[in-house]
Coordinates of all heavy atoms in Angstrom, one line a residue:
M250 N -7.7 -15.1 9.9 CA -7.4 -15.9 8.7 C -6.7 -17.2 9.2 O -5.7 -17.2 9.9 CB -6.5 -15.1 7.8 CG -5.8 -15.9 6.7 SD -4.6 -15.0 5.6 CE -5.1 -13.3 5.8
P251 N -7.3 -18.3 8.8 CA -6.7 -19.6 9.3 C -5.3 -19.7 8.7 O -5.0 -19.3 7.5 CB -7.6 -20.7 8.7 CG -8.9 -20.0 8.4 CD -8.5 -18.6 8.1
P252 N -4.3 -20.3 9.4 CA -2.9 -20.3 8.9 C -2.7 -21.2 7.7 O -1.8 -21.0 6.9 CB -2.1 -20.9 10.1 CG -3.1 -21.3 11.1 CD -4.4 -20.8 10.7
S253 N -3.7 -22.1 7.4 CA -3.5 -23.0 6.2 C -4.1 -22.3 5.0 O -4.0 -22.9 3.9 CB -4.2 -24.3 6.5 OG -5.5 -24.1 6.7
E254 N -4.8 -21.2 5.1 CA -5.5 -20.6 4.0 C -4.4 -19.9 3.0 O -3.5 -19.2 3.5 CB -6.4 -19.5 4.5 CG -7.2 -18.8 3.4 CD -8.2 -17.8 3.9 OE1 -8.7 -18.0 5.0 OE2 -8.5 -16.9 3.2
L255 N -4.6 -20.1 1.8 CA -3.7 -19.5 0.8 C -4.3 -18.3 0.2 O -5.5 -18.2 0.0 CB -3.4 -20.5 -0.4 CG -2.6 -21.8 0.0 CD1 -2.4 -22.6 -1.2 CD2 -1.3 -21.5 0.7
V256 N -3.5 -17.2 0.1 CA -4.0 -15.9 -0.3 C -3.2 -15.4 -1.5 O -2.1 -15.9 -1.8 CB -4.0 -14.9 0.8 CG1 -4.9 -15.3 2.0 CG2 -2.6 -14.6 1.3
S257 N -3.8 -14.5 -2.2 CA -3.1 -13.8 -3.4 C -2.0 -12.9 -2.9 O -1.9 -12.6 -1.7 CB -4.1 -13.0 -4.2 OG -4.6 -11.9 -3.4
T258 N -1.2 -12.5 -3.9 CA -0.1 -11.6 -3.5 C -0.6 -10.3 -2.9 O 0.0 -9.8 -1.9 CB 0.8 -11.3 -4.8 OG1 1.4 -12.6 -5.2 CG2 1.9 -10.3 -4.5
P259 N -1.6 -9.6 -3.5 CA -2.1 -8.4 -2.8 C -2.6 -8.6 -1.4 O -2.3 -7.8 -0.5 CB -3.2 -7.9 -3.7 CG -2.9 -8.5 -5.1 CD -2.3 -9.8 -4.8
E260 N -3.2 -9.7 -1.1 CA -3.7 -10.0 0.2 C -2.5 -10.3 1.2 O -2.5 -9.8 2.3 CB -4.6 -11.2 0.2 CG -6.0 -10.9 -0.5 CD -6.8 -12.2 -0.7 OE1 -6.3 -13.1 -1.3 OE2 -7.9 -12.2 -0.2
A261 N -1.5 -11.0 0.7 CA -0.3 -11.3 1.5 C 0.4 -10.0 1.8 O 0.9 -9.8 2.9 CB 0.6 -12.3 0.8
A262 N 0.6 -9.2 0.8 CA 1.3 -7.9 0.9 C 0.6 -7.0 2.0 O 1.2 -6.4 2.8 CB 1.4 -7.2 -0.4
R263 N -0.7 -7.0 1.9 CA -1.5 -6.2 2.8 C -1.3 -6.7 4.3 O -1.1 -5.9 5.2 CB -3.0 -6.3 2.5 CG -3.9 -5.3 3.2 CD -5.3 -5.3 2.7 NE -5.4 -5.2 1.2 CZ -5.9 -6.2 0.5 NH1 -6.3 -7.3 1.0 NH2 -5.9 -6.1 -0.9
A264 N -1.2 -8.0 4.4 CA -1.0 -8.6 5.8 C 0.4 -8.2 6.3 O 0.5 -8.1 7.5 CB -1.2 -10.1 5.7
L265 N 1.3 -8.0 5.4 CA 2.7 -7.6 5.9 C 2.9 -6.1 5.9 O 3.9 -5.7 6.5 CB 3.7 -8.2 4.9 CG 3.8 -9.7 4.8 CD1 4.8 -10.1 3.8 CD2 4.1 -10.4 6.1
G266 N 2.0 -5.4 5.3 CA 2.2 -3.9 5.3 C 3.2 -3.5 4.3 O 3.8 -2.4 4.4
V267 N 3.3 -4.2 3.2 CA 4.1 -3.8 2.1 C 3.3 -3.8 0.8 O 2.2 -4.3 0.8 CB 5.3 -4.8 1.9 CG1 6.2 -4.8 3.1 CG2 4.9 -6.2 1.5
S268 N 3.8 -3.3 -0.3 CA 3.1 -3.3 -1.5 C 3.3 -4.6 -2.2 O 4.2 -5.4 -2.0 CB 3.6 -2.2 -2.5 OG 4.9 -2.6 -3.0
P269 N 2.3 -5.0 -3.1 CA 2.4 -6.2 -3.9 C 3.7 -6.3 -4.7 O 4.4 -7.3 -4.8 CB 1.2 -6.2 -4.8 CG 0.2 -5.4 -4.0 CD 1.0 -4.4 -3.3
R270 N 4.1 -5.1 -5.2 CA 5.4 -5.1 -6.0 C 6.6 -5.4 -5.1 O 7.5 -6.1 -5.6 CB 5.6 -3.7 -6.6 CG 4.5 -3.3 -7.6 CD 4.7 -3.3 -9.0 NE 6.1 -3.3 -9.5 CZ 6.5 -2.7 -10.6 NH1 5.6 -2.1 -11.3 NH2 7.7 -2.8 -11.0
T271 N 6.6 -5.0 -3.9 CA 7.7 -5.3 -3.0 C 7.7 -6.8 -2.7 O 8.8 -7.4 -2.8 CB 7.5 -4.5 -1.6 OG1 7.6 -3.1 -1.9 CG2 8.6 -4.9 -0.6
L272 N 6.6 -7.4 -2.5 CA 6.6 -8.8 -2.3 C 7.0 -9.6 -3.5 O 7.8 -10.5 -3.5 CB 5.1 -9.3 -1.9 CG 5.0 -10.7 -1.4 CD1 6.0 -11.1 -0.3 CD2 3.5 -10.9 -0.9
Q273 N 6.6 -9.1 -4.7 CA 7.1 -9.8 -6.0 C 8.6 -9.6 -6.1 O 9.3 -10.5 -6.6 CB 6.4 -9.2 -7.2 CG 4.9 -9.5 -7.2 CD 4.1 -8.7 -8.2 OE1 4.5 -7.7 -8.6 NE2 2.9 -9.3 -8.5
R274 N 9.1 -8.4 -5.7 CA 10.6 -8.2 -5.8 C 11.3 -9.2 -4.8 O 12.4 -9.7 -5.1 CB 10.9 -6.8 -5.5 CG 12.4 -6.4 -5.7 CD 12.7 -4.9 -5.6 NE 12.2 -4.3 -4.3 CZ 11.2 -3.5 -4.2 NH1 10.5 -3.1 -5.2 NH2 10.9 -3.0 -3.0
Y275 N 10.7 -9.4 -3.6 CA 11.3 -10.3 -2.7 C 11.5 -11.7 -3.3 O 12.4 -12.4 -3.1 CB 10.5 -10.5 -1.4 CG 10.5 -9.3 -0.5 CD1 9.6 -9.2 0.6 CD2 11.4 -8.2 -0.6 CE1 9.6 -8.1 1.5 CE2 11.4 -7.1 0.2 CZ 10.5 -7.1 1.3 OH 10.5 -6.0 2.1
V276 N 10.4 -12.1 -4.1 CA 10.5 -13.4 -4.8 C 11.6 -13.4 -5.8 O 12.4 -14.4 -5.8 CB 9.1 -13.8 -5.4 CG1 9.2 -15.0 -6.3 CG2 8.0 -13.9 -4.4
K277 N 11.6 -12.4 -6.6 CA 12.6 -12.3 -7.7 C 14.0 -12.3 -7.1 O 14.9 -13.0 -7.7 CB 12.4 -11.0 -8.5 CG 13.4 -10.9 -9.6 CD 13.1 -9.6 -10.3 CE 14.2 -9.4 -11.4 NZ 14.2 -8.0 -12.0
D278 N 14.2 -11.7 -5.9 CA 15.6 -11.6 -5.3 C 15.9 -12.9 -4.5 O 17.0 -13.0 -3.9 CB 15.6 -10.4 -4.4 CG 15.6 -9.1 -5.2 OD1 15.8 -9.1 -6.4 OD2 15.4 -8.0 -4.5
G279 N 14.9 -13.8 -4.4 CA 15.2 -15.0 -3.6 C 15.0 -14.9 -2.1 O 15.4 -15.8 -1.4
Q280 N 14.4 -13.8 -1.7 CA 14.2 -13.6 -0.2 C 13.1 -14.4 0.4 O 13.1 -14.8 1.5 CB 14.0 -12.1 0.1 CG 15.3 -11.3 -0.3 CD 15.0 -9.8 -0.1 OE1 14.1 -9.3 -0.8 NE2 15.7 -9.2 0.8
V281 N 12.1 -14.7 -0.5 CA 10.9 -15.5 0.0 C 10.5 -16.4 -1.2 O 10.8 -16.2 -2.3 CB 9.7 -14.6 0.4 CG1 10.1 -13.7 1.6 CG2 9.2 -13.7 -0.8
R282 N 9.7 -17.5 -0.8 CA 9.2 -18.4 -1.8 C 7.7 -18.5 -1.5 O 7.3 -18.8 -0.4 CB 9.8 -19.8 -1.6 CG 11.3 -19.7 -2.0 CD 11.9 -21.1 -2.0 NE 11.1 -21.9 -3.0 CZ 11.3 -23.2 -3.2 NH1 12.2 -23.8 -2.5 NH2 10.6 -23.8 -4.1
P283 N 6.9 -18.4 -2.6 CA 5.4 -18.5 -2.4 C 5.1 -20.0 -2.1 O 5.9 -20.9 -2.4 CB 4.9 -18.1 -3.8 CG 6.0 -18.3 -4.7 CD 7.3 -18.1 -4.0
E284 N 4.0 -20.2 -1.6 CA 3.5 -21.6 -1.3 C 3.3 -22.4 -2.6 O 3.8 -23.5 -2.7 CB 2.2 -21.6 -0.5 CG 1.8 -22.9 0.1 CD 2.6 -23.4 1.2 OE1 3.4 -22.6 1.8 OE2 2.6 -24.6 1.5
I285 N 2.7 -21.7 -3.6 CA 2.5 -22.3 -4.9 C 2.6 -21.2 -5.9 O 2.3 -20.0 -5.7 CB 1.2 -23.1 -5.1 CG1 0.0 -22.2 -4.9 CG2 1.1 -24.3 -4.2 CD1 -1.3 -22.9 -5.2
T286 N 2.9 -21.6 -7.2 CA 2.9 -20.7 -8.3 C 1.9 -21.3 -9.3 O 2.0 -22.5 -9.7 CB 4.2 -20.6 -9.0 OG1 5.2 -20.1 -8.0 CG2 4.2 -19.6 -10.2
L287 N 0.9 -20.6 -9.6 CA -0.2 -21.1 -10.5 C 0.4 -21.1 -12.0 O 1.3 -20.4 -12.3 CB -1.4 -20.2 -10.4 CG -2.1 -20.0 -9.1 CD1 -3.2 -19.0 -9.1 CD2 -2.6 -21.4 -8.6
P288 N -0.3 -21.9 -12.8 CA 0.1 -21.9 -14.2 C 0.2 -20.5 -14.9 O 1.0 -20.3 -15.8 CB -0.9 -22.8 -14.9 CG -1.4 -23.7 -13.8 CD -1.4 -22.8 -12.6
S289 N -0.6 -19.6 -14.4 CA -0.7 -18.3 -14.9 C 0.5 -17.4 -14.4 O 0.7 -16.3 -14.9 CB -2.0 -17.6 -14.5 OG -2.0 -17.4 -13.1
G290 N 1.3 -18.0 -13.5 CA 2.4 -17.2 -13.0 C 2.1 -16.5 -11.7 O 3.0 -15.9 -11.0
Q291 N 0.8 -16.5 -11.3 CA 0.5 -15.8 -10.0 C 0.9 -16.7 -8.9 O 0.9 -17.9 -9.0 CB -1.0 -15.6 -10.0 CG -1.5 -14.6 -11.1 CD -3.0 -14.4 -11.0 OE1 -3.7 -15.1 -10.3 NE2 -3.5 -13.4 -11.7
Y292 N 1.1 -16.0 -7.7 CA 1.6 -16.7 -6.5 C 0.4 -16.8 -5.5 O -0.5 -16.0 -5.5 CB 2.7 -15.9 -5.8 CG 3.9 -15.7 -6.7 CD1 4.4 -14.4 -6.8 CD2 4.5 -16.7 -7.3 CE1 5.5 -14.1 -7.6 CE2 5.7 -16.5 -8.1 CZ 6.1 -15.2 -8.2 OH 7.3 -15.0 -9.0
R293 N 0.5 -17.9 -4.7 CA -0.4 -18.0 -3.6 C 0.4 -18.2 -2.4 O 1.5 -18.9 -2.4 CB -1.4 -19.2 -3.8 CG -2.4 -19.0 -4.9 CD -3.3 -17.8 -4.6 NE -4.3 -17.6 -5.6 CZ -4.2 -16.7 -6.5 NH1 -3.1 -15.9 -6.6 NH2 -5.1 -16.5 -7.4
W294 N 0.0 -17.6 -1.3 CA 0.8 -17.5 -0.1 C 0.1 -18.0 1.1 O -1.1 -17.8 1.3 CB 1.2 -16.0 0.2 CG 1.9 -15.3 -0.9 CD1 1.3 -14.6 -1.9 CD2 3.3 -15.3 -1.1 NE1 2.2 -14.1 -2.8 CE2 3.5 -14.5 -2.3 CE3 4.4 -15.8 -0.4 CZ2 4.7 -14.3 -2.8 CZ3 5.6 -15.5 -0.9 CH2 5.8 -14.7 -2.1
N295 N 0.9 -18.7 2.0 CA 0.4 -19.0 3.4 C 1.1 -17.9 4.2 O 2.3 -17.8 4.3 CB 0.9 -20.3 3.8 CG 0.6 -20.7 5.2 OD1 0.9 -19.9 6.1 ND2 -0.1 -21.8 5.4
V296 N 0.2 -17.0 4.7 CA 0.8 -15.8 5.4 C 1.6 -16.1 6.6 O 2.7 -15.5 6.9 CB -0.4 -14.8 5.8 CG1 0.2 -13.6 6.6 CG2 -1.1 -14.3 4.5
A297 N 1.2 -17.1 7.4 CA 2.0 -17.5 8.6 C 3.4 -18.0 8.1 O 4.4 -17.6 8.7 CB 1.3 -18.6 9.3
K298 N 3.5 -18.8 7.1 CA 4.8 -19.2 6.6 C 5.6 -18.1 6.0 O 6.8 -18.0 6.2 CB 4.7 -20.3 5.5 CG 4.2 -21.6 6.1 CD 4.1 -22.7 5.0 CE 3.7 -24.0 5.5 NZ 3.6 -25.0 4.5
L299 N 4.9 -17.2 5.3 CA 5.6 -16.0 4.8 C 6.2 -15.1 5.9 O 7.3 -14.7 5.8 CB 4.6 -15.2 3.9 CG 5.1 -13.9 3.3 CD1 6.3 -14.2 2.4 CD2 4.0 -13.2 2.5
R300 N 5.5 -14.9 6.9 CA 6.0 -14.2 8.1 C 7.2 -14.8 8.6 O 8.2 -14.1 9.0 CB 4.9 -14.0 9.2 CG 3.8 -13.1 8.8 CD 2.8 -13.0 10.0 NE 1.7 -12.1 9.7 CZ 1.8 -10.8 9.8 NH1 2.9 -10.3 10.3 NH2 0.8 -10.0 9.6
R301 N 7.2 -16.1 8.7 CA 8.4 -16.8 9.3 C 9.6 -16.7 8.3 O 10.7 -16.5 8.8 CB 8.1 -18.3 9.5 CG 7.3 -18.5 10.7 CD 7.2 -20.0 11.1 NE 6.6 -20.9 10.2 CZ 5.3 -21.1 10.1 NH1 4.4 -20.6 10.9 NH2 4.8 -21.9 9.2
Q302 N 9.3 -16.7 7.0 CA 10.4 -16.5 6.0 C 11.1 -15.2 6.2 O 12.3 -15.1 6.0 CB 9.9 -16.6 4.6 CG 9.5 -18.0 4.2 CD 9.1 -18.0 2.7 OE1 9.9 -17.7 1.8 NE2 7.8 -18.4 2.4
I303 N 10.4 -14.2 6.5 CA 11.0 -12.9 6.6 C 11.2 -12.4 8.1 O 11.7 -11.3 8.3 CB 10.2 -11.8 5.9 CG1 8.8 -11.6 6.4 CG2 10.2 -12.1 4.4 CD1 8.0 -10.5 5.8
G304 N 11.0 -13.3 9.0 CA 11.3 -13.1 10.4 C 10.4 -12.2 11.2 O 10.7 -11.5 12.1
I305 N 9.1 -12.2 10.8 CA 8.0 -11.5 11.5 C 7.2 -12.5 12.3 O 6.7 -13.5 11.7 CB 7.1 -10.7 10.5 CG1 7.9 -9.7 9.8 CG2 6.0 -10.1 11.3 CD1 7.1 -9.0 8.7
A306 N 7.0 -12.2 13.6 CA 6.2 -13.1 14.4 C 4.8 -13.1 13.9 O 4.3 -12.1 13.5 CB 6.3 -12.7 15.9
D307 N 4.1 -14.2 14.1 CA 2.7 -14.3 13.7 C 1.9 -13.5 14.6 O 2.1 -13.4 15.8 CB 2.2 -15.8 13.8 CG 2.6 -16.6 12.7 OD1 2.9 -16.1 11.6 OD2 2.7 -17.9 12.9
E308 N 0.8 -12.8 14.1 CA -0.1 -12.1 14.9 C -1.3 -13.0 15.2 O -1.8 -13.7 14.3 CB -0.6 -10.8 14.1 CG 0.4 -9.8 13.8 CD -0.1 -8.7 13.0 OE1 -1.2 -8.7 12.6 OE2 0.7 -7.7 12.8
E309 N -1.7 -13.0 16.4 CA -2.8 -13.8 16.8 C -4.1 -13.1 16.8 O -4.3 -12.0 17.0 CB -2.6 -14.3 18.3 CG -1.3 -15.2 18.3 CD -1.6 -16.6 18.0 OE1 -2.7 -17.1 18.2 OE2 -0.6 -17.3 17.6

C-alpha cells in the first residue's frame, strides 16, 4: 500500500492488527488523529502516519 493512500477505519485497523472499534476508541480518547474526517463522520487514515502516532515502525 503506498504511504500516501488513505484507507477506511476497518482497513487501517486490519493493518494494525486491532479491531475497528479499538481504533475508534483511540480517536475518542485522543490517542490518535485520523488524516481526515468525512462529512458523514467516517475517518480516513494514512497507515504510515497512524503507525507513527502509536509508535509502531512501518512495515516495508
